[in-house]
Amino acid sequence: MSEKKRRRTEAGPPAASAALKKSQRSGSHAQGLRKQLKPDAEILASVREMYDAAQSAASSSKALTLSDLSLSAACREVSDRDVASVQLAIERAVLAMARSILAGRGFSFDVPSRAASNQLYVPELDRIVLRDKSSSRPFASLSTVRKATITARVLSLVYAVLRRDIHVTKRDLFYTDVKLFQDQSQSDAVLDDVSCMLGCTRSSLNVVASEKGVVVGRLVFTDDGDRIDCTKMGIGGKAIPPNIDRVGNLESDALFILLVEKDAAFMRLAEDRFYNRFPCIIVTAKGQPDVATRLFLRRMKTELKLPVLALVDSDPYGLKILSVYMCGSKNMSYDSSNLTTPDIKWLGVRPSDLDKYRVPEQCRLPMTEQDVKAGKDLLEEDFVKRNGGWVKELDMMVKTRQKAEIQALSSFGFQYLTEVYLPLKLQQRDWL
Amino acid sequence: MSEKKRRRTEAGPPAASAALKKSQRSGSHAQGLRKQLKPDAEILASVREMYDAAQSAASSSKALTLSDLSLSAACREVSDRDVASVQLAIERAVLAMARSILAGRGFSFDVPSRAASNQLYVPELDRIVLRDKSSSRPFASLSTVRKATITARVLSLVYAVLRRDIHVTKRDLFYTDVKLFQDQSQSDAVLDDVSCMLGCTRSSLNVVASEKGVVVGRLVFTDDGDRIDCTKMGIGGKAIPPNIDRVGNLESDALFILLVEKDAAFMRLAEDRFYNRFPCIIVTAKGQPDVATRLFLRRMKTELKLPVLALVDSDPYGLKILSVYMCGSKNMSYDSSNLTTPDIKWLGVRPSDLDKYRVPEQCRLPMTEQDVKAGKDLLEEDFVKRNGGWVKELDMMVKTRQKAEIQALSSFGFQYLTEVYLPLKLQQRDWL
């Protein structure tokens, strides 16, 4: 065997040898950042400061509402209401209909408009709200008779659900009268109308969305009376209940909530029991946030007064997901006060992290034209504009035309996320 | 006010009146079926018979394996193996490579073929298995050098994961070397190759899929050491853990497992605590079954020896989902023995149920051409053909060209599913 051949052999097969060198290289870089890490006690002290600030902010300043801004006359909002009061509201509506019919005037619903032209972003509240425009939906008009009939039917169905105090899905509702509704989008739309009309949230109508989210970490709560300890939910975590009104008695010794965009990162954090090292509650909706997860997050934030840190992909989509948690979706702006969680901090992965943490070029992905457009659109959004730090990051993203997923951090080792990246972020209070 | 007007008024607005009449009509029909219901004790006796049969079948007859059929030489299968033995297998493979290189022969992987031409449906086992054809993947060949390099890299990555005894996702694996893998489909495919080569399941490589499934009901198990009591998981249920090897100590006093296609039906069953009335374990993958849920179902079925009843939509898609649970997907046929759950009974909603339970015409949907084609294709599948009852039902579906979702039962009231339909099905032992 020639000397050259032998040397090559000793180093192992070429692929394995390249892999080895590579892992040594990234290993040494990771080692460098790892050395910057202070003892956990010091990191925790920095986290506790953030926690204290959130606690005192929550107790000293009452959250602003529409009435504080003297906007309650010009804007419309719904609130959570108990079963009895929603039933009463429906009874009143039906009685008013009956009286109107008896007076020979037929009947008509006064339905708040949910169109874009009736929506308003209120910077003081940092969310979208609904103005007070509404339109009449008379039964005795060819153009509205169908919608008026559907409205009456949905009112009667919701009333039946409330009387039994059970929960149903939008799909269940649709199936009770396919002939009338024809298409689920019609019953869904009227359901939102009914929420607005009665001034209560959709959850108060006991119509729920299906659940996608999971939670794990330092949280104890009751789900329909069952006591759930989220430190004892293994790696799979606890599925977030679809019906928030059956959730109660939240207790926690966490210092913060870690909101994670993706399932894979959630699994890493759960398996490494990250919450034992840094007391926190870890929650994910596995992508686009569903209503149940948004309600659950808001509930945790308001009751436990915990700061919320977000870990999302470094792309426009990650920020869009943050915006839905923070400002709500346009479709449900009438319920923005109950669905949104203000003041979420963007922990990572941020465009500036890519260089700071030396994410290898091959783990970054080029942005498509569509991505770049989405990024530029976000730069026009009020909720981005009011945060200088976010504008800078987003500018950098659009200019470098590079994006990266949370998983890109795996290139330094599978546990780099939990062992180096997140602890360092917390230590350096590196959130925006 | 005229007499006519008054009469109309007394009956309420027309929409509400129509709704009332309708609910009375379907109410009386539901009432009729409800009257057929015997006391729960009698229904339970019928369920217990099924339970006993499943228990004795499981203990008397060992499940058939490839070697029982003298097929183990001609076919290839993988099995669950512990961390140490998979590590050893990788070390052996690498040593063999080294020896081959030292002998001046370079190195090459012997990779089992996972192509359709190498797959076989074994009726005795009722699942798809892989034949024993394999191909050589030499490093010193232009056409295979890339794949051989990727294979070596994946072996080294999996080895690193096993050494730390952590779990990672396929996406994590891809991100460790984007430059080499280029595209996740490439690292995914080689990962399956590596499973086959080492003769172990993908779970044994500690590479997991993300979880979608939830479970609730009469089951206690440990998830990574935490004891989970699924009767105390509220309405949200427990998320099924992604890593089946951390699941253990299954205990249950259930008489059967109820496998549900959809989230909405799961929620109804969980909220009504159906498992308290009829002791069962309720599980759903929320649509197309993921690997974690399939592994979990199989685990429950084999360890607890419980019969499995399936509640799916009455359309070809519902049956397709059943087939994935029972026979596996073609893509992972090398692992069919660990992923499949034989002998699942089709409880409902079946095409014959639509008339039997008088599901209103407007709640049935016309099948599209594509649906009809999918139905006809299913009629050609071995796993359908061997069950006469299924053939009949599927024939009826294709002929009537009607389909219906589980939610269609909501037209008789939101709790019709849990209070009438399912109890009656159990009482009449109406499964195929």
Side-chain angles (χ1 to χ4, degrees):
Chain A
M1 190 184 275
S2 75
E3 186 55 27
K4 195 174 164 199
K5 209 172 192 177
R6 180 184 307 273
R7 214 175 303 132
R8 190 158 155 213
T9 309
E10 274 162 3
S17 141
L20 188 71
K21 262 196 220 132
K22 187 162 169 170
S23 84
Q24 281 166 343
R25 231 186 11 252
S26 48
S28 78
H29 166 56
Q31 213 48 47
L33 285 175
R34 198 183 285 268
K35 270 190 202 138
Q36 291 183 31
L37 277 177
K38 296 183 188 163
D40 280 5
E42 283 182 52
I43 302 179
L44 279 171
S46 122
V47 174
R48 186 166 290 280
E49 269 179 56
M50 162 184 70
Y51 168 84
D52 290 338
Q55 290 277 325
S56 67
S59 51
S60 69
S61 72
K62 210 178 116 276
L64 276 179
T65 65
L66 280 177
S67 58
D68 297 327
L69 302 169
S70 314
L71 278 171
S72 48
C75 295
R76 179 186 297 271
E77 259 185 339
V78 299
S79 58
D80 274 324
R81 289 169 66 177
D82 61 31
V83 170
S85 92
V86 180
Q87 276 188 295
L88 198 67
I90 297 178
E91 285 161 7
R92 282 203 181 119
V94 174
L95 275 175
M97 276 162 62
R99 257 186 238 111
S100 169
I101 293 165
L102 283 167
R105 280 182 278 110
F107 76 94
S108 169
F109 294 105
D110 189 45
V111 184
S113 155
R114 295 183 293 107
S117 60
N118 199 34
Q119 293 175 6
L120 179 72
Y121 171 78
V122 181
E124 293 89 341
L125 302 175
D126 191 21
R127 54 184 167 84
I128 301 162
V129 300
L130 211 56
R131 293 174 206 262
D132 69 340
K133 226 169 63 191
S134 66
S135 63
S136 181
R137 189 175 285 173
F139 181 68
S141 150
L142 257 183
S143 66
T144 51
V145 58
R146 238 186 77 69
K147 269 212 155 172
T149 308
I150 292 178
T151 310
R153 181 85 176 109
V154 167
L155 277 173
S156 101
L157 286 169
V158 166
Y159 192 75
V161 167
L162 291 169
R163 257 185 48 185
R164 302 198 81 165
D165 197 14
I166 57 171
H167 294 78
V168 299
T169 60
K170 289 174 167 186
R171 191 82 182 149
D172 285 322
L173 213 63
F174 162 68
Y175 262 109
T176 54
D177 204 339
V178 176
K179 205 166 206 158
L180 175 61
F181 300 138
Q182 286 172 357
D183 180 316
Q184 198 188 326
S185 65
Q186 300 196 24
S187 51
D188 284 0
V190 167
L191 192 69
D192 283 333
D193 288 342
V194 164
S195 267
C196 286
M197 279 167 54
L198 300 177
C200 68
T201 59
R202 202 182 66 206
S203 330
S204 306
L205 300 178
N206 279 17
V207 181
V208 300
S210 76
E211 38 155 304
K212 275 198 317 168
V214 277
V215 60
V216 88
R218 309 278 271 248
L219 173 71
V220 174
F221 70 97
T222 54
D223 176 358
D224 197 30
D226 293 333
R227 187 173 181 280
I228 312 287
D229 181 346
C230 298
T231 63
K232 301 207 171 72
M233 285 296 132
I235 298 166
K238 170 73 177 86
I240 291 175
N243 14 17
I244 193 75
D245 53 322
R246 298 264 160 109
V247 167
N249 307 307
L250 278 73
E251 290 167 41
S252 177
D253 65 346
L255 294 177
F256 61 99
I257 296 166
L258 188 58
L259 181 64
V260 178
E261 176 179 345
K262 296 267 202 63
D263 211 15
F266 178 89
M267 202 198 79
R268 176 81 279 123
L269 290 158
E271 184 171 57
D272 292 352
R273 307 242 175 193
F274 184 75
Y275 52 83
N276 282 341
R277 184 166 165 202
F278 301 106
C280 64
I281 302 167
I282 303 165
V283 64
T284 183
K286 302 181 184 172
Q288 197 60 35
D290 55 313
V291 168
T293 307
R294 287 159 67 192
L295 286 169
F296 194 77
L297 177 68
R298 184 186 161 82
R299 186 76 172 272
M300 287 197 292
K301 162 95 182 164
T302 40
E303 292 200 10
L304 305 172
K305 302 177 183 61
L306 293 177
V308 182
L309 303 177
L311 179 66
V312 297
D313 286 345
S314 178
D315 60 22
Y317 208 67
L319 218 58
K320 232 178 173 127
I321 284 178
L322 260 189
S323 91
V324 173
Y325 280 115
M326 290 177 68
C327 311
S329 65
K330 297 207 166 140
N331 187 36
M332 293 194 70
S333 52
Y334 68 88
D335 194 9
S336 64
S337 72
N338 298 290
L339 283 170
T340 56
T341 303
D343 197 29
I344 297 178
K345 303 294 185 197
W346 188 10
L347 186 72
V349 178
R350 300 203 309 265
S352 63
D353 287 346
L354 303 192
D355 282 342
K356 191 173 163 194
Y357 290 87
R358 282 183 245 166
V359 172
E361 278 301 321
Q362 67 267 27
C363 294
R364 309 179 187 190
L365 301 165
M367 282 167 81
T368 64
E369 282 310 314
Q370 209 187 340
D371 289 338
V372 174
K373 191 186 168 305
K376 284 181 178 160
D377 286 349
L378 275 173
L379 278 166
E380 298 303 311
E381 293 268 356
D382 293 311
F383 94 101
V384 171
K385 277 195 208 155
R386 65 197 292 275
N387 190 325
W390 289 29
V391 172
K392 247 163 106 180
E393 292 281 356
L394 203 49
D395 256 337
M396 180 185 288
M397 189 195 295
V398 173
K399 272 183 195 131
T400 59
R401 288 178 164 252
Q402 284 187 326
K403 59 181 183 178
E405 296 184 32
I406 305 172
Q407 264 67 45
L409 297 168
S410 299
S411 57
F412 301 118
F414 295 112
Q415 289 173 301
Y416 185 77
L417 173 73
T418 50
E419 291 181 353
V420 181
Y421 179 80
L422 286 176
L424 210 53
K425 280 263 168 189
L426 294 175
Q427 174 180 315
Q428 300 176 340
R429 308 170 58 86
D430 186 17
W431 50 76
L432 293 175
Chain B
M1 190 183 276
S2 76
E3 187 53 29
K4 193 175 164 197
K5 210 170 193 177
R6 181 184 307 271
R7 215 175 304 132
R8 187 154 158 219
T9 307
E10 274 162 3
S17 142
L20 189 70
K21 264 197 220 129
K22 185 162 171 182
S23 84
Q24 281 166 343
R25 234 192 1 257
S26 48
S28 77
H29 166 56
Q31 213 50 46
L33 285 175
R34 199 184 284 268
K35 271 190 201 138
Q36 293 184 29
L37 278 176
K38 297 184 189 161
D40 280 5
E42 282 183 52
I43 302 179
L44 279 171
S46 123
V47 174
R48 186 167 290 278
E49 268 179 55
M50 163 184 68
Y51 168 84
D52 290 338
Q55 291 276 324
S56 67
S59 52
S60 69
S61 72
K62 210 178 118 271
L64 276 179
T65 63
L66 280 177
S67 58
D68 296 327
L69 301 169
S70 313
L71 277 171
S72 48
C75 295
R76 180 186 294 272
E77 257 183 342
V78 300
S79 58
D80 274 324
R81 290 169 64 177
D82 62 31
V83 170
S85 92
V86 180
Q87 275 187 296
L88 198 66
I90 297 178
E91 285 160 8
R92 283 204 180 119
V94 174
L95 275 176
M97 276 161 63
R99 256 185 240 114
S100 171
I101 294 165
L102 283 167
R105 282 183 277 109
F107 77 93
S108 170
F109 295 106
D110 189 44
V111 184
S113 156
R114 295 184 293 106
S117 60
N118 198 33
Q119 293 174 6
L120 178 73
Y121 171 79
V122 181
E124 293 88 342
L125 302 174
D126 190 21
R127 54 185 167 82
I128 302 162
V129 298
L130 211 57
R131 292 173 206 262
D132 69 340
K133 225 168 62 190
S134 66
S135 62
S136 178
R137 189 176 284 173
F139 181 69
S141 149
L142 256 183
S143 67
T144 51
V145 58
R146 238 187 78 69
K147 270 213 156 171
T149 308
I150 293 178
T151 309
R153 182 86 177 110
V154 166
L155 277 173
S156 100
L157 286 169
V158 165
Y159 192 75
V161 168
L162 290 170
R163 256 186 47 184
R164 303 198 81 165
D165 197 14
I166 57 172
H167 294 77
V168 300
T169 61
K170 290 174 169 188
R171 190 87 183 143
D172 284 321
L173 213 64
F174 162 68
Y175 262 109
T176 54
D177 204 338
V178 175
K179 204 165 206 160
L180 174 62
F181 299 138
Q182 287 173 356
D183 180 318
Q184 198 188 326
S185 65
Q186 300 197 22
S187 51
D188 284 0
V190 168
L191 192 69
D192 283 333
D193 289 341
V194 165
S195 268
C196 286
M197 279 168 52
L198 302 177
C200 68
T201 60
R202 202 182 65 206
S203 330
S204 307
L205 301 178
N206 279 18
V207 181
V208 301
S210 75
E211 38 157 304
K212 274 199 317 169
V214 277
V215 60
V216 89
R218 308 278 270 247
L219 173 71
V220 174
F221 70 98
T222 53
D223 176 358
D224 196 30
D226 294 333
R227 187 173 180 279
I228 312 287
D229 181 347
C230 298
T231 63
K232 300 205 171 74
M233 285 294 131
I235 298 165
K238 170 73 177 86
I240 291 176
N243 11 19
I244 193 75
D245 53 322
R246 299 264 160 109
V247 167
N249 307 306
L250 277 73
E251 290 167 40
S252 176
D253 65 347
L255 295 176
F256 61 100
I257 296 166
L258 188 57
L259 181 64
V260 178
E261 176 179 346
K262 296 265 203 64
D263 210 16
F266 179 89
M267 202 198 80
R268 175 81 281 120
L269 291 159
E271 185 172 58
D272 292 353
R273 306 239 175 195
F274 184 75
Y275 51 83
N276 282 341
R277 186 166 165 203
F278 301 105
C280 64
I281 302 168
I282 304 164
V283 64
T284 182
K286 302 181 184 170
Q288 196 59 36
D290 54 315
V291 169
T293 308
R294 287 159 66 192
L295 287 169
F296 194 77
L297 177 68
R298 184 186 163 80
R299 186 76 171 272
M300 286 196 295
K301 162 95 180 162
T302 40
E303 293 200 9
L304 304 172
K305 302 175 183 60
L306 294 176
V308 183
L309 303 177
L311 178 66
V312 296
D313 286 345
S314 177
D315 59 23
Y317 208 68
L319 217 58
K320 250 210 152 97
I321 283 178
L322 259 189
S323 90
V324 173
Y325 280 115
M326 289 177 68
C327 310
S329 64
K330 297 210 164 140
N331 187 36
M332 292 191 72
S333 51
Y334 67 87
D335 195 8
S336 65
S337 71
N338 298 290
L339 283 171
T340 56
T341 304
D343 197 28
I344 297 177
K345 303 292 185 199
W346 188 10
L347 186 72
V349 177
R350 299 202 309 265
S352 63
D353 287 346
L354 303 191
D355 282 341
K356 191 173 165 194
Y357 291 86
R358 282 183 244 167
V359 172
E361 277 301 323
Q362 67 267 25
C363 295
R364 308 179 188 191
L365 301 165
M367 280 168 80
T368 63
E369 281 311 315
Q370 209 187 339
D371 289 337
V372 174
K373 191 188 168 303
K376 285 182 178 160
D377 287 349
L378 276 172
L379 278 166
E380 297 303 313
E381 295 267 356
D382 295 313
F383 93 101
V384 172
K385 277 193 209 156
R386 64 199 291 276
N387 189 326
W390 289 28
V391 172
K392 245 161 107 179
E393 292 281 356
L394 203 49
D395 256 337
M396 180 187 286
M397 189 195 293
V398 172
K399 273 183 193 129
T400 59
R401 288 179 164 252
Q402 284 186 327
K403 58 180 182 179
E405 297 184 31
I406 304 172
Q407 264 66 47
L409 297 169
S410 297
S411 58
F412 301 117
F414 295 113
Q415 289 173 301
Y416 185 77
L417 174 73
T418 50
E419 291 181 353
V420 181
Y421 179 80
L422 286 176
L424 209 54
K425 280 264 168 188
L426 293 175
Q427 174 180 314
Q428 300 177 340
R429 308 172 57 87
D430 184 17
W431 50 75
L432 294 176

